[in-house]
Structures are given as structure tokens and as C-alpha cells.
Amino acid sequence: MATVLYSSPVFGPVHSRRLGVSLGINLLPSDGKFCTFDCVYCECGFNKDFRPKNPLPSREEVKAALETVLKERSEKGLALDVLTFAGNGEPTAHPRFAEIVEDVLILRDRYFPNAKVSVLSNATQLHRPDVVEALKRVDNNIMKLDTADEEYIRRTDRPTGHYDVKKVIEQLKEFAGKVIIQTMFMQGTVDGKEVDNTTDVYVLPWLETVKYIAPSKVMIYTIDRETPDHDLRKATPEQLDRIAALLRRCGMEVSVSY
């Protein structure tokens, strides 16, 4: 099984399908996963197979490593579109996430003032006021919502702790538009049971939910790399285009990654 684990605390830059030239900030250990989801489609593999032994990087380590890279790229005139909190799990699970965001914004302004700061999150830490306030400060607050159906989430995203999709939806609504919704569409089977959130059974309730949240943008995408569960398939371009058209019909801005 091919997996992708990222260096910590800084990796890349990589060319993101959604964000451009992106320098990654990994607040998780480089030797394994540290996540509040255990998604069947995660490029980093299943949590149980990649339990980290190393500690989380400290705030000081993140700041020093990031400044080194940003200073070098600035001096060489190398382009950078975005600084992205991502990596080997859930970035907002880091206990000093809010303080690290503060450091990153300062360094961004110093070296690459035109670059955006993005966070890719599964929205499981929105019960923490410090996380919410930090997310409100970044340029792209990108929160996962694969469906409004709790059973589907438990089968595919597989939360590792308490998860209440209705509560998460209300928390996303509270951003008052300062949020981007990202949704993975796919097909296949998990443990012998069909999963396919491209059908109207899932798409229409999800669409109503997204309208209720009223995000600034919706990012829809599908599988791009090998998944730990090999019985999954990409959503087709036609399926993604249909979903995008439904969103645009509701006046929403949408990006599609095939």
C-alpha cells in the first residue's frame, strides 16, 4: 500500500490542485498520523498502521523552520501562492495551533505578503474557542463536510472520538461566511457495503446543508492518489460537473478538482 507522509514541520512546496504553489505546514509528527478522522481514502494510510513515535513539533520549531524556508525563497525570488496547514493528520489538534497561526501570519507578512494562509481541517476541533478565533484570521478557512449523513461519515471518514454532524453544521454556520467547504466525492465499497455520495440521496441534503452554512466558496474534489482501502473509485468528471452546476445554480462559487 502506497502512502504519503509529510516532513515536519515544513514540507514542499507542492502544486496544489486547489490552491496553487503551496508550502505545507505539518503540525503533526513526520513519522506517522495524528488525526481525529481515519478516512478510508486518506493518502497517509490508516491511523493504526502509522502511529507516530515522535512528539508534535513545538511552536518554536515550527516558527524557526518556516522562517528559514521563507527567507531563502524570498531571497531567491521563488514564487509562493499559499502557506497551507496540512500534513499527517488534523492540524487544529495541535494544542498551540492558535499561537502558531499568529506566528505564521507575522512571517507571511514579512516575507510573502501576497501569499494566502490556508488551513485544511476536518472541523472536529470547532468546540475550542481558540481554534475558531484562529481560523477566522486566516485567508482560507477550509473545512471538510463530505455529507450531511452521519452514517456515511462514520463509514468513510470514521471519526475517532465523539462526532455529531448536526453540531458541526451549526459550528460551520457560525463562521458567518468566513469558511470554505471542501467535500470529497467518491464511489466504491467499504467493508462490503456500497459508498457513493454522488447520488441525489446524498447530494441533495448536502446541497441544502451547504446553502444553510452559506460559505464563501465550495471546493469539490475526488480521489487523486492511492487510497488505503482499494475498493474505492474516483467520482467521474460528469458527476462532479453536475454537482458543481447545482451549486452554481444556487449562486455559490465553486471549484472542481477532477
Side-chain angles (χ1 to χ4, degrees):
M1 176 179 66
T3 57
V4 179
L5 291 176
Y6 295 94
S7 301
S8 181
V10 177
F11 65 92
V14 298
H15 185 78
S16 166
R17 291 186 293 168
R18 289 169 283 172
L19 302 172
V21 180
S22 170
L23 186 66
I25 302 170
N26 177 26
L27 302 187
L28 299 318
S30 60
D31 64 334
K33 282 185 67 183
F34 187 97
C35 199
T36 50
F37 272 5
D38 191 17
C39 297
V40 294
Y41 57 77
C42 181
E43 64 186 23
C44 297
F46 292 130
N47 293 0
K48 64 180 176 61
D49 297 326
F50 297 94
R51 298 194 186 282
K53 296 182 176 62
N54 295 335
L56 300 176
S58 68
R59 175 187 181 182
E60 293 73 22
E61 289 170 334
V62 176
K63 181 179 180 180
L66 182 60
E67 181 157 28
T68 296
V69 175
L70 292 181
K71 183 177 180 181
E72 179 181 358
R73 291 188 67 83
S74 177
E75 289 173 349
K76 292 182 178 180
L78 298 174
L80 196 61
D81 297 319
V82 62
L83 306 174
T84 306
F85 286 88
N88 303 336
E90 176 51 39
T92 64
H94 195 292
R96 302 191 73 180
F97 173 75
E99 296 160 290
I100 294 171
V101 167
E102 174 68 23
D103 294 337
V104 170
L105 290 171
I106 291 171
L107 292 174
R108 183 276 307 271
D109 292 346
R110 182 181 302 164
Y111 294 105
F112 284 90
N114 293 325
K116 305 295 186 182
V117 174
S118 299
V119 177
L120 300 178
S121 171
N122 60 24
T124 57
Q125 300 296 303
L126 300 183
H127 59 281
R128 291 170 50 194
D130 61 320
V131 168
V132 171
E133 290 308 308
L135 290 171
K136 288 178 179 178
R137 299 188 63 197
V138 303
D139 300 290
N140 297 317
N141 170 30
I142 305 172
M143 298 286 109
K144 171 176 289 298
L145 186 68
D146 286 342
T147 176
D149 186 279
E150 186 113 20
E151 181 182 353
Y152 183 95
I153 290 170
R154 298 203 175 280
R155 186 176 300 167
T156 61
D157 296 340
R158 305 196 305 179
T160 60
H162 176 72
Y163 185 90
D164 181 345
V165 69
K166 292 181 180 179
K167 177 64 175 176
V168 170
I169 290 166
E170 293 303 321
Q171 290 167 331
L172 294 170
K173 174 71 172 176
E174 288 173 7
F175 280 108
K178 178 67 172 161
V179 64
I180 296 170
I181 298 299
Q182 62 164 349
T183 301
M184 162 71 82
F185 287 99
M186 64 177 191
Q187 306 168 84
T189 59
V190 175
D191 298 327
K193 296 182 179 180
E194 183 180 4
V195 292
D196 183 352
N197 64 336
T198 68
T199 66
D200 283 348
V201 172
Y202 293 99
V203 170
L204 296 183
W206 168 85
L207 180 64
E208 291 304 311
T209 299
V210 172
K211 288 163 59 179
Y212 174 72
I213 294 169
S216 60
K217 185 176 183 179
V218 183
M219 294 178 170
I220 64 174
Y221 64 116
T222 191
I223 296 166
D224 185 44
R225 298 184 176 95
E226 185 175 352
T227 60
D229 191 319
H230 295 295
D231 295 322
L232 304 176
R233 305 187 309 275
K234 294 168 69 78
T236 67
E238 292 77 16
Q239 289 168 329
L240 293 177
D241 287 343
R242 183 184 78 90
I243 295 166
L246 291 173
L247 289 164
R248 293 186 180 114
R249 202 173 298 160
C250 298
M252 296 187 197
E253 181 180 352
V254 57
S255 69
V256 185
S257 299
Y258 300 102

